[in-house]
Protein backbone atom coordinates (compact mmCIF):
# COMPACT_ATOMS: atom_id res chain seq x y z
CA UNK A 1 0.00 0.00 0.00
CA UNK A 2 2.75 2.47 0.94
CA UNK A 3 4.69 1.60 -2.23
CA UNK A 4 1.63 2.30 -4.37
CA UNK A 5 1.18 5.73 -2.82
CA UNK A 6 4.86 6.55 -3.27
CA UNK A 7 4.81 5.38 -6.91
CA UNK A 8 1.66 7.39 -7.60
CA UNK A 9 3.06 10.55 -6.02
CA UNK A 10 6.33 10.08 -7.92
CA UNK A 11 4.46 9.69 -11.22
CA UNK A 12 2.40 12.82 -10.52
CA UNK A 13 5.54 14.80 -9.64
CA UNK A 14 7.32 13.65 -12.80
CA UNK A 15 4.31 14.61 -14.93
CA UNK A 16 4.22 18.06 -13.36
CA UNK A 17 7.92 18.57 -13.98
CA UNK A 18 7.46 17.48 -17.61
CA UNK A 19 4.50 19.84 -18.12
CA UNK A 20 6.39 22.76 -16.61
CA UNK A 21 9.47 22.10 -18.78
CA UNK A 22 7.30 21.91 -21.92
CA UNK A 23 5.58 25.15 -20.98
CA UNK A 24 8.94 26.92 -20.50
CA UNK A 25 10.17 25.55 -23.82
CA UNK A 26 7.06 26.65 -25.72
CA UNK A 27 7.16 30.12 -24.21
CA UNK A 28 10.82 30.50 -25.16
CA UNK A 29 10.26 29.40 -28.74
CA UNK A 30 7.27 31.66 -29.29
CA UNK A 31 9.00 34.60 -27.56
CA UNK A 32 11.87 34.30 -30.03
CA UNK A 33 9.45 34.00 -32.94
CA UNK A 34 7.45 36.97 -31.63
CA UNK A 35 10.65 39.01 -31.45
CA UNK A 36 11.42 38.23 -35.07
CA UNK A 37 7.87 39.21 -36.03
CA UNK A 38 8.26 42.50 -34.13
CA UNK A 39 11.48 43.27 -35.97
CA UNK A 40 9.86 42.49 -39.31
CA UNK A 41 6.85 44.61 -38.33
CA UNK A 42 9.09 47.64 -37.72
CA UNK A 43 10.80 47.18 -41.09
CA UNK A 44 7.48 46.84 -42.89
CA UNK A 45 6.17 49.90 -41.05
CA UNK A 46 9.20 51.87 -42.32
CA UNK A 47 8.70 50.29 -45.75
CA UNK A 48 12.30 49.14 -45.67
CA UNK A 49 11.52 45.41 -45.55
CA UNK A 50 12.50 43.29 -48.49
CA UNK A 51 11.98 39.72 -49.57
CA UNK A 52 15.04 38.49 -47.66
CA UNK A 53 13.70 39.88 -44.37
CA UNK A 54 10.48 37.94 -44.77
CA UNK A 55 12.29 34.80 -45.79
CA UNK A 56 14.65 35.08 -42.80
CA UNK A 57 11.64 35.00 -40.47
CA UNK A 58 10.17 32.18 -42.52
CA UNK A 59 13.40 30.16 -42.23
CA UNK A 60 13.49 30.77 -38.50
CA UNK A 61 9.92 29.49 -38.24
CA UNK A 62 10.77 26.42 -40.36
CA UNK A 63 13.55 25.53 -37.91
CA UNK A 64 11.30 26.02 -34.90
CA UNK A 65 8.26 24.23 -36.26
CA UNK A 66 10.21 21.03 -36.89
CA UNK A 67 10.61 20.75 -33.12
CA UNK A 68 7.25 22.24 -32.15
CA UNK A 69 5.30 19.50 -33.95
CA UNK A 70 5.89 17.36 -30.88
CA UNK A 71 3.95 19.72 -28.59
CA UNK A 72 1.68 21.83 -30.80
CA UNK A 73 -1.06 20.40 -33.05
CA UNK A 74 -0.37 20.49 -36.76
CA UNK A 75 -3.38 22.72 -37.42
CA UNK A 76 -1.96 25.51 -35.26
CA UNK A 77 1.41 25.25 -36.98
CA UNK A 78 -0.29 25.30 -40.39
CA UNK A 79 -2.17 28.41 -39.31
CA UNK A 80 1.12 30.21 -38.62
CA UNK A 81 2.51 28.94 -41.94
CA UNK A 82 -0.49 30.34 -43.79
CA UNK A 83 -0.22 33.84 -42.30
CA UNK A 84 3.54 33.93 -42.66
CA UNK A 85 3.41 32.90 -46.32
CA UNK A 86 0.81 35.57 -47.05
CA UNK A 87 2.94 38.17 -45.28
CA UNK A 88 6.04 37.23 -47.27
CA UNK A 89 4.07 37.44 -50.50
CA UNK A 90 2.78 40.89 -49.64
CA UNK A 91 6.23 42.12 -48.72
CA UNK A 92 7.55 40.75 -52.01
CA UNK A 93 4.94 42.70 -53.98
CA UNK A 94 5.48 45.83 -51.89
CA UNK A 95 1.98 45.92 -50.38
CA UNK A 96 3.19 47.06 -46.98
CA UNK A 97 -0.22 48.10 -45.61
CA UNK A 98 -1.67 44.63 -46.15
CA UNK A 99 1.52 43.04 -44.82
CA UNK A 100 1.13 45.03 -41.59
CA UNK A 101 -2.37 43.58 -41.15
CA UNK A 102 -1.04 40.05 -41.57
CA UNK A 103 1.81 40.76 -39.16
CA UNK A 104 -0.68 41.95 -36.54
CA UNK A 105 -2.36 38.56 -36.77
CA UNK A 106 0.99 36.78 -36.50
CA UNK A 107 1.91 38.83 -33.43
CA UNK A 108 -1.34 37.84 -31.76
CA UNK A 109 -0.86 34.18 -32.66
CA UNK A 110 2.71 34.18 -31.32
CA UNK A 111 1.55 35.65 -28.03
CA UNK A 112 -1.63 33.59 -27.60
CA UNK A 113 -0.64 30.16 -28.86
CA UNK A 114 1.67 29.10 -25.99
CA UNK A 115 -1.04 29.98 -23.47
CA UNK A 116 -3.31 27.41 -25.10
CA UNK A 117 -1.01 24.63 -23.95
CA UNK A 118 -0.19 25.69 -20.40
CA UNK A 119 -1.25 23.66 -17.41
CA UNK A 120 -4.26 25.66 -16.30
CA UNK A 121 -7.67 24.61 -15.11
CA UNK A 122 -9.47 25.98 -18.21
CA UNK A 123 -7.14 24.00 -20.51
CA UNK A 124 -7.75 20.76 -18.64
CA UNK A 125 -11.54 20.86 -18.54
Amino acid sequence: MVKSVIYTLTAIALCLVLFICVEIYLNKQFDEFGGAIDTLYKKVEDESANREDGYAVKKMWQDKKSKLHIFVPHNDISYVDYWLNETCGLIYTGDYDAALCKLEVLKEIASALPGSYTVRLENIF
Side-chain angles (χ1 to χ4, degrees):
M1 174 73 176
V2 173
K3 282 185 180 180
S4 297
V5 171
I6 291 173
Y7 290 150
T8 302
L9 292 175
T10 303
I12 290 171
L14 287 174
C15 286
L16 286 174
V17 167
L18 176 69
F19 293 146
I20 290 169
C21 289
V22 167
E23 185 174 333
I24 291 169
Y25 177 76
L26 286 176
N27 284 330
K28 180 182 177 213
Q29 297 304 309
F30 279 101
D31 284 346
E32 290 173 3
F33 179 63
I37 292 295
D38 287 338
T39 302
L40 184 61
Y41 186 91
K42 289 174 187 167
K43 284 188 170 189
V44 170
E45 206 171 34
D46 296 338
E47 296 186 1
S48 64
N50 58 30
R51 184 173 73 177
E52 286 77 28
D53 295 326
Y55 288 135
V57 174
K58 196 172 174 182
K59 182 175 179 355
M60 175 193 194
W61 174 247
Q62 295 291 331
D63 293 339
K64 289 193 177 305
K65 84 173 186 177
S66 66
K67 297 170 192 82
L68 289 173
H69 274 291
I70 299 168
F71 308 109
V72 178
H74 300 299
N75 290 342
D76 290 340
I77 289 176
S78 296
Y79 196 57
V80 174
D81 285 338
Y82 171 78
W83 287 102
L84 191 55
N85 286 328
E86 278 201 20
T87 302
C88 288
L90 291 168
I91 291 170
Y92 180 73
T93 60
D95 191 355
Y96 294 113
D97 291 333
L100 283 174
C101 296
K102 305 294 181 186
L103 284 168
E104 284 290 338
V105 173
L106 278 169
K107 284 170 62 172
E108 181 61 31
I109 291 171
S111 67
L113 204 59
S116 301
Y117 304 104
T118 58
V119 181
R120 291 188 299 199
L121 195 57
E122 62 261 18
N123 290 340
I124 296 171
F125 295 106

